[in-house]
Amino acid sequence: MSKEIFSEKKISLKPFNTFNIDVKSSEFVKIRTEQELIEALKQFSNPFVLGGGSNMLLTKDVENPVFYIQLKGISVEKQTDDFVWIKAQAGENWHEFVLYTLNQGFGGLENLSLIPGNVGTTPVQNIGAYGVEIKDIMEICHAIHIKTQEKRIFTNADCKFAYRESVFKNEEKGNYIITSVTFKLTKRNHSLNIKYGDIQKVLTEKGITNPTPTDVSQAVIFIRQSKLPDPKQIGNSGSFFKNPIIGKIKFEALQKRFPQMPFYSIDDNHIKIPAGWLIDTCGLKGYRKGDAGVHEKQALVLVNYGNASGSEILQVAHLVKNTVKEKFDIDLEFEVNIF
């Protein structure tokens, strides 16, 4: 027999999104267990799924029932001498989970330290930083189908990961709610990635020549804190734009005009350009209109200085996009989901 799930009416979502946008939800449902999720799916249709609220820009009140996912728990599924498979429930805070794995001596997640949000949304975005993405360490994730309430296990291959993309943003968009994610981590012989960004530089400055996963994590945290605003102090959602990938011929033509343009080769025919550099070169770093703006230290990040609406931040996003298009003929894509 179905148990009626309690919902709150007309709740402000300001405390539940890292942009600190004050919009209302018509219904607000806290989900603490899988069974509660199944019962809520029977009772409410077309839910708006809310986790850490870190990768979204809310531009209007949410008419659909908001499911606030608070599933908690971390467990070791299996282990060998070299590896451990560790399962985290969707409502676990991502950075706290990363620190938990490091405290156990496990390696694999250190480059993804201090990324805002919860575990359940990490496969959706295929979050990544400093040369590591979720696709590199995720084994499986468990999910529940919204319409049928059937449980399904998605393997790494099932997720069809690409740069900030997955099956959950494409053909299965809006069909599933992820309930837990299992990661394969190293217990010894850790394969550390310290080539990206300033990680090696920070380790050298600290006199660390034989780094541990925790050392790499602390370097990443130091770099992120020096460049990125804390959402608790200034509303933001981290990187707002994806780094664009362009063809080699187009890149070579641009390089003649902008020889200082930084780049990363993806393959023989594709080049990734840092979006932050493009925006900065357009003179938009630190741009502000009212309480909406581009962060003064990291042009990839749009910020809410206080009482900006989602629509005002979106206007700044379109200004950035249009300016970069005009100067470089490059189309920037939003990394943040717009609602």
Side-chain angles (χ1 to χ4, degrees):
M1 186 173 140
S2 292
K3 174 181 130 190
E4 188 167 359
I5 298 293
F6 174 71
S7 71
E8 297 176 78
K9 312 281 187 188
K10 299 294 178 186
I11 294 290
S12 170
L13 295 180
K14 186 171 184 176
F16 303 102
N17 72 95
T18 60
F19 257 122
N20 300 330
I21 303 295
D22 188 11
V23 296
K24 298 282 193 297
S25 65
S26 58
E27 304 254 11
F28 188 82
V29 186
K30 289 180 182 174
I31 306 290
R32 289 168 289 251
T33 66
E34 267 196 18
Q35 192 54 43
E36 280 187 358
L37 176 56
I38 290 168
E39 296 295 343
L41 287 170
K42 291 174 182 173
Q43 189 173 323
F44 301 98
S45 58
N46 299 318
F48 179 94
V49 183
L50 180 62
S54 63
N55 201 54
M56 58 173 58
L57 177 63
L58 300 168
T59 62
K60 57 184 183 291
D61 289 344
V62 181
E63 298 302 325
N64 297 37
V66 172
F67 282 15
Y68 183 41
I69 306 299
Q70 292 189 290
L71 301 168
K72 301 288 186 182
I74 299 170
S75 58
V76 171
E77 297 297 282
K78 62 177 179 175
Q79 56 186 312
T80 64
D81 289 343
D82 294 310
F83 298 102
V84 59
W85 286 260
I86 190 162
K87 179 180 182 179
Q89 298 298 311
E92 289 287 341
N93 176 273
W94 173 254
H95 180 59
E96 289 174 12
F97 172 62
V98 171
L99 294 181
Y100 172 85
T101 65
L102 291 167
N103 288 337
Q104 305 300 310
F106 305 148
L109 302 181
E110 54 279 350
N111 290 50
L112 304 179
S113 299
L114 212 63
I115 293 176
N118 288 354
V119 167
T121 48
T122 59
V124 179
Q125 284 293 116
N126 184 25
I127 66 165
Y130 301 101
V132 176
E133 294 178 310
I134 282 298
K135 71 175 177 59
D136 303 322
I137 55 261
M138 193 204 91
E139 187 81 355
I140 59 170
C141 65
H142 289 78
I144 292 177
H145 195 278
I146 287 173
K147 286 197 167 63
T148 67
Q149 291 89 60
E150 287 178 6
K151 296 181 182 181
R152 178 175 169 185
I153 295 173
F154 285 83
T155 65
N156 190 302
D158 290 337
C159 291
K160 299 183 182 177
F161 288 126
Y163 173 56
R164 302 298 177 270
E165 292 287 346
S166 73
V167 71
F168 303 108
K169 288 182 76 176
N170 295 292
E171 55 259 53
E172 295 294 0
K173 184 174 182 177
N175 290 339
Y176 285 91
I177 296 175
I178 293 171
T179 55
S180 69
V181 188
T182 301
F183 303 92
K184 181 183 179 184
L185 306 178
T186 51
K187 291 172 68 176
R188 61 185 185 184
N189 303 320
H190 307 296
S191 178
L192 301 179
N193 191 329
I194 58 175
K195 291 184 268 183
Y196 280 74
D198 292 330
I199 295 177
Q200 181 64 73
K201 181 180 168 207
V202 171
L203 291 171
T204 302
E205 286 171 355
K206 292 180 183 290
I208 298 169
T209 54
N210 188 23
T212 65
T214 296
D215 291 329
V216 175
S217 169
Q218 289 173 349
V220 167
I221 291 169
F222 176 81
I223 296 164
R224 290 183 73 92
Q225 287 180 331
S226 69
K227 290 182 177 179
L228 301 172
D230 183 345
K232 291 175 184 150
Q233 295 171 352
I234 303 175
N236 76 90
S237 199
S239 299
F240 199 93
F241 303 94
K242 297 180 186 180
N243 291 319
I245 296 170
I246 62 175
K248 194 171 184 183
I249 294 170
K250 183 171 187 173
F251 167 72
E252 287 169 350
L254 277 170
Q255 199 176 34
K256 288 175 184 171
R257 291 173 52 209
F258 304 96
Q260 73 280 30
M261 177 186 282
F263 66 94
Y264 303 96
S265 294
I266 301 296
D267 54 40
D268 291 342
N269 298 311
H270 297 93
I271 308 290
K272 184 187 288 186
I273 310 294
W277 183 88
L278 297 171
I279 299 164
D280 193 6
T281 305
C282 289
L284 290 170
K285 186 192 278 186
Y287 170 85
R288 179 169 178 172
K289 185 176 182 184
D291 275 353
V294 180
H295 192 245
E296 59 189 9
K297 290 185 181 176
Q298 173 51 272
L300 261 185
V301 179
L302 301 190
V303 291
N304 176 8
Y305 287 105
N307 296 308
S309 68
S311 298
E312 288 168 337
I313 290 168
L314 188 57
Q315 284 173 12
V316 172
H318 282 297
L319 170 72
V320 169
K321 187 176 164 72
N322 294 339
T323 307
V324 168
K325 175 69 173 176
E326 195 174 318
K327 190 174 184 74
F328 296 101
D329 192 30
I330 290 177
D331 290 303
L332 288 185
E333 283 185 62
F334 298 157
E335 186 173 321
V336 169
N337 297 301
I338 313 294
F339 297 102

